[in-house]
Amino acid sequence: MKKFVSGDEAVAMGVRLARPHVISAYPITPQTIVVERLSEMVEDKSLKAEFLHVESEHSAMAAAMGVSSVGARAFTATSSQGLLYMSEVMHYVSGARFPIVMMNANRSIAVPWSIYGDQRDSLSQLDSGWIQVYVEDAQEALDMIIQAYKIAENKDVLTPMMVNLDGFVLTHTYELINLPNQEKVDEFLPPIDSIVKMDINDPKSLCFSTSPEHNMEFKYKQHVAMLNAKKVIEEVDKEYGDMFGRYYDGLIEEYKTTDAEVLLLTVGSITGTARVVIDKLRKNGQKVGLIKLRYLRPFPEEELQKISSKAKVLGVLEKDVSFGYEGTVFTNVSSALSKLENQPQIYNFLGGMGGRDISKEDIEDIILKLIDAHNGKKIDRVQFVNLKARV
Amino acid sequence: MNYKENRPKIIEFKNPEHIDDFPVGTTVPSGQLVKKNSGWRTFKPVINKDVCVNCLNCYIFCPDGVIYKSENKVDVDYDFCKGCGVCANECRVNAITMVKEGEE
């Protein structure tokens, strides 16, 4: 069935199809429509779930943790400052191995106060032990919510998962989507059967302390589970594609990279704009390609190395900065490529912060700079895109 | 009545050797005590049995559940008491004194 909906509404529809038992909600722009729609669905009984009004994002995540600790399926959503406020509980959740799914609307971090989009909120949480996927459009957002439960609840993974949508660009833009059939989703996503739960017939102690004597082994197992997620992500992507006809290439997608000498790597909705620019430059005979980095955790190191091994130059375009160094995505990409024997020259382009638009012209300009670098011209390794003031 | 038999049974803790011996996440069958934490204390509660009226306020209020009913009215399991002082504060007849460790 086709629907014309915003990204937030697509997420809400995906959540309904995944049949969560409890939704703990605290609204924050630009995530608000997700929880508004879910509350309407609970009200009109098209979604059989408890809708919890909580007093903060910290409580929203704590409530989701309670839901998961009795073996039920939990959903929550947030953005920006809300995500940062949840951060403390997010570490509890991942350490306890509760397979909670959360939607995050990528929004700038204050101050300067801004409701508009960039990716500094979720990228600041890379070390919280959550799986992180970034989507390109509303359809992918809906599909990834359904896939997220299947990935997070896998017994070899049991790790919470965050589905990231660019604030406003995706959350508030209306697009045509295919709405999967509920019976088929039920077939794809069986009821949750978590081993990490309280049980009246088998009393368990949850979320205990450990001394230094035992702590590190728990962290090792958590790390292995996140690495296990790589295989599960690929399998779930294939299974979903076979059933619903939409494949997303698992951890990382490549576009026209086979013979490309110059590559651009993007995260999230900007990928759609970059595709158009790549097509235009290809028509002009330029050997350029695009990498869509879908997952930041687990990080697709081997896949990225394989795609980049034949390229001469690679640029990373991202909507964040780790002040005093470079972009966080770039740091991760550099680390992976530094292990290649013939690593491409790598450059970092930082833009889109606080909702600044990144246009097709900006992206073309970036790729032309990368082509210049390929031709021997010296360009800055880390540079800001589209600054309005002279520096 | 044998109060000791009524206390929950403790599962003997076997120190894990292989990584598979560790649980998934922080979820284990209840009733394991891995480490005694009496070393956390700087003060310990000492109950004066002559003053105690066996009202069981301390038993109810103890946040760690280390006070238990015994033939001797109430007793403290000093292996796990952290010396927080809640029992002494809640005792209505001032039967509990917090004494500095090593000075009792």
Side-chain angles (χ1 to χ4, degrees):
Chain A
M1 192 197 299
K2 290 234 188 294
K3 292 269 182 192
F4 186 62
V5 293
S6 70
D8 273 350
E9 287 171 334
V11 167
M13 287 171 169
V15 173
R16 176 165 58 185
L17 288 165
R19 298 189 189 271
H21 296 96
V22 182
I23 294 144
S24 52
Y26 195 84
I28 179 170
T29 304
Q31 151 270 34
T32 317
I33 303 160
V34 175
V35 289
E36 281 176 352
R37 290 293 171 275
L38 286 169
S39 72
E40 289 160 12
M41 290 168 184
V42 172
E43 175 68 17
D44 68 19
K45 297 190 171 49
S46 63
L47 168 58
K48 286 194 184 73
E50 289 291 325
F51 193 89
L52 278 183
H53 297 269
V54 290
E55 69 274 57
S56 74
E57 285 90 355
H58 191 277
S59 302
M61 187 51 74
M65 188 171 159
V67 171
S68 202
S69 70
V70 294
R73 193 172 275 164
F75 178 79
T76 189
T78 191
S79 176
S80 180
Q81 314 296 129
L83 184 74
L84 300 192
Y85 195 19
M86 279 182 177
S87 178
E88 192 230 359
V89 194
M90 283 167 64
H91 287 260
Y92 270 89
V93 167
S94 61
R97 312 279 298 278
F98 291 133
I100 295 166
V101 170
M102 164 163 66
M103 171 267 192
N104 178 57
N106 283 124
R107 172 186 141 181
S108 177
I109 298 290
V111 291
W113 195 253
S114 168
I115 59 165
Y116 297 103
D118 65 40
Q119 290 159 336
R120 284 187 50 229
D121 53 359
S122 55
L123 288 170
S124 77
Q125 299 302 310
L126 277 188
D127 296 343
S128 64
W130 282 59
I131 296 170
Q132 282 199 17
V133 65
Y134 292 76
V135 304
E136 189 181 340
D137 55 31
Q139 182 70 63
E140 190 180 357
L142 183 148
D143 293 339
M144 285 320 297
I145 291 284
I146 297 166
Q147 282 193 33
Y149 281 105
K150 182 112 176 177
I151 296 161
E153 291 170 10
N154 182 292
K155 67 176 173 41
D156 296 328
V157 179
L158 281 173
T159 295
M161 181 155 165
M162 190 193 302
V163 179
N164 290 287
L165 282 77
D166 279 303
F168 290 105
V169 175
L170 289 186
T171 60
H172 285 59
T173 301
Y174 276 72
E175 298 176 69
L176 205 57
I177 60 155
N178 277 300
L179 189 64
N181 169 290
Q182 181 71 66
E183 286 72 29
K184 273 180 87 175
V185 173
D186 289 343
E187 195 186 325
F188 171 81
L189 181 65
I192 182 170
D193 183 22
S194 177
I195 53 171
V196 184
K197 63 176 181 188
M198 300 178 199
D199 186 342
I200 203 86
N201 299 313
D202 180 17
K204 297 261 176 58
S205 296
L206 273 73
C207 303
F208 45 73
S209 318
T210 66
S211 69
E213 191 184 346
H214 297 122
N215 188 289
M216 218 161 99
E217 284 71 20
F218 285 91
K219 293 297 129 189
Y220 173 81
K221 282 190 88 147
Q222 200 181 330
H223 179 58
V224 170
M226 183 70 100
L227 293 175
N228 291 344
K230 286 187 180 187
K231 185 166 164 276
V232 175
I233 286 163
E234 302 284 351
E235 287 167 356
V236 168
D237 185 60
K238 185 177 182 309
E239 191 186 340
Y240 193 87
D242 290 348
M243 266 183 101
F244 300 97
R246 289 182 294 277
Y247 299 88
Y248 292 105
D249 296 352
L251 293 153
I252 192 165
E253 185 200 324
E254 41 186 321
Y255 183 69
K256 301 190 176 179
T257 58
T258 315
D259 63 338
E261 293 169 352
V262 172
L263 294 173
L264 181 68
L265 181 143
T266 52
V267 176
S269 63
I270 196 69
T271 312
T273 316
R275 274 180 219 275
V276 178
V277 179
I278 294 289
D279 288 345
K280 180 187 167 186
L281 292 170
R282 276 276 171 182
K283 273 196 186 125
N284 298 344
Q286 303 279 18
K287 287 188 173 172
V288 292
L290 179 68
I291 301 172
K292 173 185 172 184
L293 185 58
R294 299 186 69 236
Y295 282 81
L296 261 293
R297 286 295 179 273
F299 194 76
E301 186 182 45
E302 300 83 3
E303 296 82 352
L304 180 63
Q305 286 167 342
K306 195 162 152 264
I307 296 167
S308 314
S309 59
K310 290 193 189 73
K312 301 289 182 249
V313 179
L314 184 143
V316 174
L317 171 59
E318 56 185 302
K319 298 181 185 176
D320 73 289
V321 58
S322 182
F323 302 108
Y325 194 31
E326 59 196 14
T328 300
V329 180
F330 186 68
T331 304
N332 282 267
V333 169
S334 304
S335 168
L337 299 189
S338 68
K339 294 153 195 159
L340 283 174
E341 263 183 44
N342 300 311
Q343 65 159 310
Q345 300 175 54
I346 46 175
Y347 298 98
N348 192 195
F349 298 89
L350 308 169
M353 276 168 261
R356 174 135 330 157
D357 190 34
I358 301 175
S359 65
K360 283 186 293 197
E361 292 71 24
D362 293 329
I363 295 173
E364 188 169 345
D365 189 44
I366 288 166
I367 297 172
L368 291 175
K369 278 184 181 168
L370 292 170
I371 292 168
D372 282 348
H374 181 36
N375 293 334
K377 192 177 169 191
K378 197 171 171 1
I379 66 167
D380 290 340
R381 188 174 153 88
V382 179
Q383 50 185 286
F384 277 72
V385 176
N386 211 350
L387 280 175
K388 302 282 190 203
R390 283 198 313 278
V391 285
Chain B
M1 180 186 259
N2 190 337
Y3 290 99
K4 279 221 163 92
E5 278 186 12
N6 279 346
R7 298 185 69 194
K9 297 281 173 291
I10 293 176
I11 301 169
E12 190 195 348
F13 177 71
K14 290 190 185 73
N15 202 43
E17 288 172 14
H18 190 275
I19 197 72
D20 292 345
D21 300 337
F22 282 83
V24 173
T26 44
T27 309
V28 292
S30 295
Q32 299 187 64
L33 292 169
V34 177
K35 262 194 160 47
K36 293 175 179 175
N37 44 27
S38 50
W40 297 26
R41 279 200 307 268
T42 46
F43 288 85
K44 68 189 284 189
V46 176
I47 303 174
N48 183 338
K49 301 288 169 37
D50 298 335
V51 180
C52 172
V53 294
N54 207 18
C55 72
L56 300 180
N57 235 23
C58 56
Y59 167 83
I60 288 165
F61 277 100
C62 172
D64 271 343
V66 300
I67 295 179
Y68 58 97
K69 295 182 240 178
S70 75
E71 302 83 351
N72 209 356
K73 296 183 181 172
V74 285
D75 270 325
V76 181
D77 186 338
Y78 288 116
D79 281 346
F80 297 97
C81 168
K82 298 188 186 114
C84 68
V86 167
C87 56
N89 192 63
E90 296 298 334
C91 180
R92 299 173 189 181
V93 292
N94 295 325
I96 306 178
T97 315
M98 297 304 290
V99 180
K100 197 160 187 185
E101 282 291 336
E103 292 180 7
E104 68 272 24

